[in-house]
Amino acid sequence: MPKLAVLGYPVAHSRSPAMQNAALAQLGLGGEWSYEAIEVAPEGFEAVVRALPADGFEGVNVTVPHKGAALALADEATEMAKEIGAANTLVFADGRIQAHNTDAGGVLASLPIAPGGVRALVLGAGGAARAAVWALGTAGARVDIWNRTPARADDIRIEFESGETIRIQVKAAPGPEPDLDQSVYDLIVNTTTVGLHGEDPFAHLPLRRDGFVPGQTVLDMVYGEAPSTLLAAAAAAGAGVVDGLEVLVQQGALSFKIWTGLDAPVDVMRAAAYSLDGS
Ligand code: ATR
């Protein structure tokens, strides 16, 4: 019985088990494969991962806060995972641990627009921002990064601009000042955690509630029961909106393909992810 799991801390509210088990069932693999959530604290992460293959695991998803550690312990990694500096998918094969990153592909697959040539603003400079900047930059977008702590945005810019295989046009946006003109961007991506605990995004991010314009696309990685405050304002202005749950679905579909070799039933995964109570 091949086993799969998501490792996180905390992980109890992850929608990945419902989503992945729905996909396995849809393809008739529900009796063979299984997918569970395993909570593991950072200090125990490496030992738990190394014990998984002997316990029948074929691979795992890795989520916050383990994505850097997952890359570090792997025997081999895709170029994408190395350049982003994080892995969200591990494969156990022939006694070796392979690291992949499907977060970047998940961002691209979730967008209703082709990013080539677009002007994009990425808010934030954590792991989610790195995957988004890498995805958009390699797809040909011109990316500005804004972060509350500007030095972290600058670190991403310097690292990606000097990368060996990617040439990304990235600039750190001017800072938290309200002079950042959100109307010039074709795409705005919020990767910060603002809104996760009910904070007002317009009090913490360099965006105005009435500053969105039609024709823009706004992606908010924060998701919950209702559309986020950010997306509600963007939609009211006629902008296209994408929520973080769609990114979760798309990264999960890419991971599913890596483990099983089968195209994931994305609609089934989306229905399972959205039907859960996200408390
Ligand atoms: P992840 O790896 O999931 O992206 P992270 O590394 O904790 O998470 O990053 C969280 C992001 O949200 C950071 O960009 C953080 O800004 P700082 O680098 O300045 O800490 C941002 N963030 C969190 N709370 C914020 C707030 N109240 N206002 C603005 N940005 C905030």
Side-chain angles (χ1 to χ4, degrees), residues 63-76:
T63 188
V64 177
H66 302 311
K67 291 182 185 185
L71 177 67
L73 67 72
D75 299 300
E76 53 208 62

Side-chain angles (χ1 to χ4, degrees), residues 110-132:
S110 74
L111 293 177
I113 55 164
V118 311
R119 246 189 113 174
L121 172 65
V122 174
L123 304 167
R130 297 175 68 88

